[in-house]
């Protein structure tokens, strides 16, 4: 009786135009979403009296009928759609097979689907449409059946990527690997496509480990296939296992007679990721084995640069070791002369003198000689000008800095180097508390082609915006940016005093956790790791869910591992991190550090 009343209500309103046709589509969907399946069915049954409306409501109407177990009506609309869309009615014929499953007639469903596959298996368009639909609705077993049957009529590697996805969804990981590796063995040009597939499909450590084993098996069976070494190199770089990446790079380098080029690339990525030991291994190998190659002097310079990064990131920085680095760079220049490959060393020497030995005049003389040298490549000259600008800012001469930054900006307009100079100018405005001018620069840089510069600009812009609206005068933000300038100028004592003043004058301000972060940074750099931990723990306990929460916990673990040499405590914090911050950018590095401390072979 209730159902009849609903039908009469719908017929009355539909017939007399109380609602538009679109209103009825929305009404039916609303009833369905609310679980009012009888009302939804009554609405749709009236709507589809106009045959052209059936495709518009088919999916929801069919789902509604299944909810009501109204299989008679469900079969009717499926058959109607098969008839209306013939001959390209593949998805509706699949629905008809699934209809039998809904009724519990599994054998009949399988028989119907097998018949359907036999009919379309030689029609590549039909297979593509049907396979995509089966994957979309999660009918992976049937999708596998379809592709494997269709493959017999085409190429033995046809539908490789679709089958790889299906195998992964079915938990048949080894089959997925075999599928993709078989394809790669005959299509080495598809390496990037294969890598992208693995990037999307591999999720767990167990999958990565199994994948690595599978590739090693291929190498042992077919050692001449360099493509497998390239795949392993890619995998280990993704996993930041630079030691293993070095092994593969050596094999590739030897085969392709690259005189160490691939090994240098691995070293550069390791250095970027602060794996100094792995980077040094790469550079040392090239320096030892390719002494007659153009890569020799590059490797020598990068080897010194790696030691430089190690020394600069071991707190407090040892000035004697800094002097040793400058001597190493001088020796390199003496041995190899001032060539395109060694002139970069002058930049390193200048920056070490300025920022670590307080010899700013010496640094400026070195950079000026580099800029004036007619053999200096233009980009290196631009970098040297930016360095000079930084040193003038170090000296408290921002007007000289902005002049140099602007020169580079003009000379390298649509180039990442020009964008870097523009970012320096934006920071200058920020340091001076001229936030509107800083934002003008940052708005342009947000669209920069270099992701790193674009991200830095967005991050800085958001920071200014979020902290400009907290008080009408932006006094707190001005004090904060002034502290950042003091830190840049290595004036750590005044910076710490200013941090304490800011916290006192603006209690419970949104900048509080950022100030704690600055304090921790200064204290660690000045060789006070325990005091740095106290500042970081204020973030970890009071601001764990905020932006700096994962940075603070990660840095705590790093201090225990590297500064305090307490691996047990570091392990504990890394473990806590993996539980607490599953989506953090630090996760891969944290997992790696935890395994190394646990004693795993990485």
């Amino acid at each position: 009786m209730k159902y009849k009343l609903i039908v009469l209500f719908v017929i009355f309103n539909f017939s007399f135009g109380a609602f538009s046709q679109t209103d009825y589509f929305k009404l039916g969907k609303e009833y369905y979403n609310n679980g009012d399946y009888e009302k939804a069915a009554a609405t749709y049954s009236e709507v589809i009296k106009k045959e052209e409306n059936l495709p518009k409501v088919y999916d929801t109407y069919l789902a509604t009928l299944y909810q009501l177990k109204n299989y008679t009506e469900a079969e009717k609309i499926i058959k109607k759609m098969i008839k209306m869309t013939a001959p390209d009615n593949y998805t509706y014929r699949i629905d008809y097979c699934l209809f039998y499953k809904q009724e519990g007639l599994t054998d009949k469903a399988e028989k119907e689907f097998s018949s359907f596959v036999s009919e379309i298996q030689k029609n590549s368009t039909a297979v593509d449409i049907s396979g995509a639909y089966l994957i979309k609705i999660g009918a992976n077993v049937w999708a596998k059946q379809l592709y494997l049957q269709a493959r017999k009529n085409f190429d033995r590697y046809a539908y490789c990527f679709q089958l790889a996805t299906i195998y992964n969804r079915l938990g048949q990981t080894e089959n997925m690997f075999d599928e993709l590796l078989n394809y790669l063995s005959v299509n080495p040009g598809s390496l990037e496509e294969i890598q992208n597939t693995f990037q999307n499909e591999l999720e767990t450590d167990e999958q990565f480990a199994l994948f690595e084993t599978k590739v090693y098996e291929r190498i042992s069976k077919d050692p001449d296939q360099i493509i497998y070494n390239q795949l392993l190199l890619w995998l280990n770089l993704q996993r930041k296992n630079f030691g293993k990446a070095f092994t593969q790079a050596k094999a590739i380098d030897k085969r392709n007679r690259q005189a160490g080029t691939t090994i240098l690339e691995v070293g550069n990525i390791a250095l970027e990721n602060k794996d100094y030991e792995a980077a040094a291994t790469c550079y040392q190998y090239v320096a030892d084995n390719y002494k007659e190659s153009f890569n020799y002097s590059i490797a020598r310079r990068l080897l010194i640069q790696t030691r430089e990064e190690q020394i600069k990131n071991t707190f407090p920085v040892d000035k004697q070791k800094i002097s040793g680095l400058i001597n190493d760079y001088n020796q390199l220049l003496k041995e190899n002369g001032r060539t395109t490959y060694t002139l970069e060393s002058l930049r390193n020497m200048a920056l070490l003198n300025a920022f670590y030995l307080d010899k700013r005049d010496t640094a400026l003389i070195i950079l000026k000689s580099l800029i004036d040298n007619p053999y200096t490549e233009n980009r290196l000259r631009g970098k040297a000008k930016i360095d000079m600008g930084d040193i003038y800012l170090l000296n408290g001469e921002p007007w000289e800095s902005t002049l140099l930054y602007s020169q580079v900006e003009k000379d390298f307009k649509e180039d990442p180097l020009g964008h870097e100079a523009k970012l320096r100018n934006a920071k200058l405005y920020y340091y001076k508390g001229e936030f509107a001018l800083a934002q003008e620069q940052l708005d342009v840089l947000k669209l920069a082609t270099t992701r790193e510069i674009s991200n830095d600009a967005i991050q800085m812009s958001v920071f200014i915006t979020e902290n400009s609206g907290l008080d009408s005068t932006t006094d707190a933000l001005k004090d904060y940016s002034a502290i950042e300038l003091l830190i840049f100028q290595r004036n750590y004592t005044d910076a710490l005093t200013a941090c304490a003043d800011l916290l006192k004058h603006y209690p419970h301000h949104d900048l509080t956790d950022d100030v704690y972060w600055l304090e921790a940074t200064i204290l660690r750099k000045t060789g006070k790791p325990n005091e740095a931990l106290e500042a970081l723990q204020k973030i970890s306990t009071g601001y764990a869910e905020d932006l700096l929460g994962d940075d603070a916990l990660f840095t705590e673990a790093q201090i225990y591992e590297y500064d305090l040499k307490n691996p047990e405590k570091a392990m504990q914090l890394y473990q806590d991190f993996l539980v607490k911050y599953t989506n953090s950018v630090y996760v891969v590095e944290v997992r790696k550090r935890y395994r190394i401390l646990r004693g795993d072979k990485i």
Side-chain angles (χ1 to χ4, degrees), residues 331-429:
Q331 187 63 32
L332 176 67
L333 288 166
K334 194 182 289 185
E335 285 178 17
N336 296 278
R338 297 195 174 195
T339 69
T340 308
Y341 303 114
T342 59
L343 281 175
E344 184 82 34
S345 302
L346 289 170
R347 271 190 75 216
N348 296 85
M349 288 166 62
L351 293 172
L352 289 171
N353 273 297
F355 284 89
Y356 293 93
L357 299 181
D358 207 24
K359 295 180 179 179
R360 296 168 192 177
D361 291 340
T362 302
L364 288 171
I365 291 167
I366 293 170
L367 289 172
K368 192 172 185 312
S369 74
L370 183 58
I371 291 166
D372 293 342
N373 189 330
Y375 298 105
T376 301
E377 185 261 334
N378 277 338
R379 292 188 66 78
L380 182 56
R381 185 174 286 111
K383 289 177 184 177
K385 284 185 177 181
I386 290 176
D387 295 337
M388 280 187 83
D390 290 346
I391 294 168
Y392 279 121
L393 184 56
L394 204 58
N395 282 337
E397 301 176 68
W399 51 91
E400 294 287 352
S401 300
T402 195
L403 187 66
L404 286 158
Y405 297 153
S406 299
Q407 282 179 19
V408 179
E409 222 184 299
K410 185 181 174 184
D411 292 344
F412 296 88
K413 255 184 184 173
E414 299 304 320
D415 185 274
L417 191 58
H419 295 155
E420 182 62 47
K422 196 176 195 71
L423 186 61
R424 290 291 212 287
N425 265 326
K427 284 182 180 176
L428 258 183
Y429 287 126

Side-chain angles (χ1 to χ4, degrees), residues 166-212:
I166 291 163
Y167 285 133
N168 196 34
R169 289 184 181 181
L170 293 172
Q172 299 171 5
T173 311
E174 289 202 43
N175 287 343
M176 174 182 72
F177 294 149
D178 288 335
E179 193 68 48
L180 291 169
L181 293 174
N182 288 340
Y183 184 82
L184 182 64
S185 66
V186 293
N187 296 283
S190 66
L191 178 62
E192 192 173 335
E193 195 176 1
I194 295 285
Q195 288 170 349
N196 289 337
T197 305
F198 280 128
Q199 184 90 44
N200 294 330
E201 300 295 341
L202 297 182
E203 293 176 353
T204 66
D205 291 338
E206 290 73 18
Q207 285 180 320
F208 278 104
L210 180 59
F211 169 59
E212 189 175 27

Side-chain angles (χ1 to χ4, degrees), residues 138-153:
N140 294 306
V141 173
W142 277 2
K144 174 184 165 184
Q145 180 183 337
L146 169 66
Y147 285 129
L148 289 176
Q149 185 66 28
R151 171 180 277 180
K152 295 174 184 176
N153 301 287

Side-chain angles (χ1 to χ4, degrees), residues 402 406 409 421-446 457 460-461 464-465 468 474 477-478 481:
T402 195
S406 299
E409 222 184 299
K422 196 176 195 71
L423 186 61
R424 290 291 212 287
N425 265 326
K427 284 182 180 176
L428 258 183
Y429 287 126
Y430 169 75
Y431 289 145
K432 291 190 289 183
E434 296 174 0
F435 302 123
L437 291 172
Q439 286 284 34
E440 285 178 20
Q441 306 280 322
L442 296 170
D443 286 342
V444 176
L445 290 170
K446 288 175 191 175
M460 193 173 171
S461 177
I464 292 171
T465 303
S468 292
T474 66
L477 184 58
K478 283 181 180 177
S481 64

Side-chain angles (χ1 to χ4, degrees), residues 32 50 146 168-169 189 216 250 283 296 298 301 363 514:
Y32 176 80
K50 287 187 177 180
L146 169 66
N168 196 34
R169 289 184 181 181
Y216 273 120
K250 280 195 295 183
Y283 300 141
Y296 171 73
I298 299 174
R301 177 175 61 79
D514 297 283

Side-chain angles (χ1 to χ4, degrees), residues 119-163:
E119 186 182 324
I120 69 161
Q121 62 178 313
K122 294 181 181 179
N123 182 339
S124 61
T125 302
V127 172
D128 288 342
I129 294 170
S130 302
Y133 182 62
L134 289 163
I135 290 173
K136 179 185 172 185
I137 63 175
N140 294 306
V141 173
W142 277 2
K144 174 184 165 184
Q145 180 183 337
L146 169 66
Y147 285 129
L148 289 176
Q149 185 66 28
R151 171 180 277 180
K152 295 174 184 176
N153 301 287
F154 302 107
D155 185 275
R156 63 175 290 197
Y157 301 106
Y159 308 111
C160 157
F161 294 100
Q162 294 92 328
L163 280 163

